Amino acid sequence: MSIVKVHRYGVRADREGPQSLSLEAPGKPRLHVGTPPEFRNGVPYVWSPEELLIGSLAACFELTVVAIADRKDVPLHAIRVDATGHVERKDSRYRFMLFELDVELETDAGREHDAENLAELAKERCIVASALDVPWRLTVEAHTAPVAAAAPA
Protein backbone atom coordinates (compact mmCIF):
# COMPACT_ATOMS: atom_id res chain seq x y z
CA MET A 1 0.00 0.00 0.00
CA SER A 2 1.38 3.42 -0.88
CA ILE A 3 0.47 6.72 0.70
CA VAL A 4 0.09 9.67 -1.62
CA LYS A 5 0.47 13.20 -0.31
CA VAL A 6 -0.61 16.09 -2.47
CA HIS A 7 0.28 19.71 -1.77
CA ARG A 8 -0.92 22.76 -3.68
CA TYR A 9 0.87 26.09 -3.78
CA GLY A 10 -0.72 29.20 -5.25
CA VAL A 11 0.88 32.48 -6.26
CA ARG A 12 -0.68 35.55 -7.85
CA ALA A 13 1.23 37.92 -10.15
CA ASP A 14 -0.05 41.50 -10.46
CA ARG A 15 1.46 43.95 -12.91
CA GLU A 16 2.95 47.07 -11.29
CA GLY A 17 4.61 48.76 -14.24
CA PRO A 18 5.85 48.23 -17.78
CA GLN A 19 8.56 45.74 -16.72
CA SER A 20 7.63 44.90 -13.13
CA LEU A 21 5.08 43.04 -11.06
CA SER A 22 4.44 41.83 -7.57
CA LEU A 23 4.00 38.26 -6.44
CA GLU A 24 1.68 37.34 -3.61
CA ALA A 25 0.93 34.13 -1.79
CA PRO A 26 -1.57 33.74 1.05
CA GLY A 27 -0.10 34.95 4.34
CA LYS A 28 3.22 36.08 2.80
CA PRO A 29 4.67 39.53 2.14
CA ARG A 30 4.62 40.87 -1.41
CA LEU A 31 7.67 40.25 -3.52
CA HIS A 32 8.58 42.78 -6.21
CA VAL A 33 9.89 41.29 -9.45
CA GLY A 34 11.18 42.88 -12.63
CA THR A 35 12.83 42.19 -15.93
CA PRO A 36 16.56 41.64 -15.33
CA PRO A 37 18.74 44.71 -15.90
CA GLU A 38 20.64 42.81 -18.62
CA PHE A 39 17.55 43.04 -20.83
CA ARG A 40 16.11 46.15 -22.49
CA ASN A 41 14.18 48.28 -19.98
CA GLY A 42 15.31 45.97 -17.21
CA VAL A 43 14.53 46.92 -13.63
CA PRO A 44 17.51 47.10 -11.26
CA TYR A 45 17.33 46.45 -7.52
CA VAL A 46 14.45 43.96 -7.57
CA TRP A 47 14.46 40.20 -7.99
CA SER A 48 14.22 38.90 -11.55
CA PRO A 49 12.31 35.74 -12.49
CA GLU A 50 15.67 34.14 -13.31
CA GLU A 51 17.04 34.93 -9.84
CA LEU A 52 13.86 33.59 -8.25
CA LEU A 53 14.25 30.31 -10.11
CA ILE A 54 17.90 29.97 -9.08
CA GLY A 55 16.98 31.02 -5.54
CA SER A 56 14.20 28.43 -5.44
CA LEU A 57 16.64 25.72 -6.42
CA ALA A 58 19.20 26.83 -3.81
CA ALA A 59 16.59 27.17 -1.06
CA CYS A 60 14.93 23.83 -1.83
CA PHE A 61 18.30 22.09 -1.92
CA GLU A 62 19.45 23.62 1.38
CA LEU A 63 16.17 22.89 3.19
CA THR A 64 16.25 19.32 1.84
CA VAL A 65 19.80 18.83 3.17
CA VAL A 66 18.72 20.14 6.59
CA ALA A 67 15.66 17.85 6.68
CA ILE A 68 17.68 14.78 5.72
CA ALA A 69 20.39 15.63 8.27
CA ASP A 70 17.73 15.83 10.96
CA ARG A 71 16.20 12.47 9.98
CA LYS A 72 19.59 10.73 9.76
CA ASP A 73 21.01 12.37 12.91
CA VAL A 74 23.95 13.90 11.05
CA PRO A 75 25.15 17.00 12.91
CA LEU A 76 24.97 19.99 10.62
CA HIS A 77 26.32 23.20 12.18
CA ALA A 78 26.33 25.35 9.07
CA ILE A 79 25.46 25.14 5.41
CA ARG A 80 26.01 27.59 2.59
CA VAL A 81 24.76 27.18 -0.96
CA ASP A 82 26.05 29.41 -3.75
CA ALA A 83 23.90 28.91 -6.83
CA THR A 84 24.49 30.09 -10.38
CA GLY A 85 22.31 29.73 -13.44
CA HIS A 86 23.77 29.97 -16.92
CA VAL A 87 21.48 31.40 -19.61
CA GLU A 88 22.22 31.28 -23.32
CA ARG A 89 20.51 32.66 -26.38
CA LYS A 90 20.11 30.16 -29.16
CA ASP A 91 17.79 30.26 -32.15
CA SER A 92 16.34 33.59 -30.94
CA ARG A 93 15.36 32.07 -27.57
CA TYR A 94 16.87 32.42 -24.13
CA ARG A 95 17.09 29.33 -21.98
CA PHE A 96 18.87 28.02 -18.92
CA MET A 97 21.59 25.63 -19.99
CA LEU A 98 23.16 24.76 -16.61
CA PHE A 99 22.75 25.29 -12.89
CA GLU A 100 25.70 25.08 -10.52
CA LEU A 101 25.42 24.60 -6.77
CA ASP A 102 28.56 25.04 -4.68
CA VAL A 103 27.85 23.79 -1.18
CA GLU A 104 29.82 24.12 2.05
CA LEU A 105 28.77 21.98 4.99
CA GLU A 106 30.06 22.17 8.56
CA THR A 107 29.73 19.09 10.76
CA ASP A 108 31.43 17.22 13.60
CA ALA A 109 34.87 15.65 13.23
CA GLY A 110 34.62 12.28 11.56
CA ARG A 111 31.18 13.03 10.02
CA GLU A 112 32.38 14.84 6.89
CA HIS A 113 31.58 11.87 4.63
CA ASP A 114 28.08 11.61 6.14
CA ALA A 115 27.55 15.32 5.45
CA GLU A 116 28.65 14.90 1.83
CA ASN A 117 26.19 12.01 1.46
CA LEU A 118 23.41 14.34 2.66
CA ALA A 119 24.10 16.58 -0.30
CA GLU A 120 23.94 13.68 -2.74
CA LEU A 121 20.61 12.54 -1.28
CA ALA A 122 19.27 16.10 -1.43
CA LYS A 123 20.21 16.29 -5.11
CA GLU A 124 17.93 13.30 -5.74
CA ARG A 125 15.08 14.54 -3.51
CA CYS A 126 14.89 18.31 -4.07
CA ILE A 127 11.39 18.99 -5.41
CA VAL A 128 12.40 22.08 -7.38
CA ALA A 129 15.33 20.32 -9.03
CA SER A 130 13.10 17.45 -10.09
CA ALA A 131 10.82 19.94 -11.90
CA LEU A 132 13.67 21.38 -13.99
CA ASP A 133 14.76 19.87 -17.28
CA VAL A 134 18.19 21.48 -17.08
CA PRO A 135 21.43 19.78 -16.04
CA TRP A 136 23.02 20.87 -12.81
CA ARG A 137 26.40 20.41 -11.23
CA LEU A 138 26.90 19.92 -7.52
CA THR A 139 30.19 20.62 -5.74
CA VAL A 140 30.29 19.78 -2.05
CA GLU A 141 32.91 20.63 0.54
CA ALA A 142 32.36 19.30 4.05
CA HIS A 143 34.58 20.36 6.91
CA THR A 144 34.75 20.10 10.66
CA ALA A 145 33.14 22.76 12.80
CA PRO A 146 35.68 24.75 14.81
CA VAL A 147 36.00 23.60 18.40
CA ALA A 148 34.71 26.23 20.82
CA ALA A 149 37.53 27.81 22.82
CA ALA A 150 37.64 26.71 26.44
CA ALA A 151 36.35 29.28 28.89
CA PRO A 152 39.05 30.91 31.02
CA ALA A 153 39.30 29.49 34.54
Side-chain angles (χ1 to χ4, degrees):
M1 174 184 0
S2 67
I3 298 174
V4 176
K5 283 188 176 181
V6 176
H7 302 279
R8 290 178 52 136
Y9 301 95
V11 175
R12 172 175 285 154
D14 285 321
R15 185 174 181 199
E16 291 184 335
Q19 299 294 323
S20 63
L21 57 89
S22 65
L23 293 177
E24 295 181 40
K28 312 276 181 2
R30 270 185 169 194
L31 182 61
H32 299 283
V33 180
T35 303
E38 295 83 7
F39 292 92
R40 192 179 76 189
N41 299 322
V43 182
Y45 313 115
V46 297
W47 286 88
S48 72
E50 294 79 4
E51 291 165 328
L52 290 173
L53 180 61
I54 297 162
S56 292
L57 176 60
C60 182
F61 180 84
E62 184 167 327
L63 293 170
T64 303
V65 167
V66 170
I68 295 169
D70 185 52
R71 276 190 226 105
K72 294 194 172 284
D73 291 323
V74 176
L76 190 59
H77 303 295
I79 179 171
R80 180 171 134 181
V81 177
D82 291 321
T84 305
H86 299 267
V87 174
E88 72 175 350
R89 184 176 182 184
K90 187 175 182 180
D91 300 326
S92 300
R93 289 182 41 184
Y94 287 97
R95 68 178 191 89
F96 279 100
M97 54 185 261
L98 175 70
F99 293 107
E100 296 178 291
L101 269 62
D102 297 312
V103 181
E104 285 186 43
L105 303 167
E106 194 173 276
T107 188
D108 289 349
R111 301 298 301 269
E112 297 88 355
H113 184 69
D114 294 333
E116 289 172 355
N117 286 340
L118 295 174
E120 290 301 324
L121 284 171
K123 184 175 182 182
E124 296 170 10
R125 297 180 184 173
C126 173
I127 295 169
V128 172
S130 69
L132 301 173
D133 188 22
V134 176
W136 60 297
R137 181 189 57 77
L138 176 65
T139 304
V140 181
E141 181 182 314
H143 54 88
T144 304
V147 178

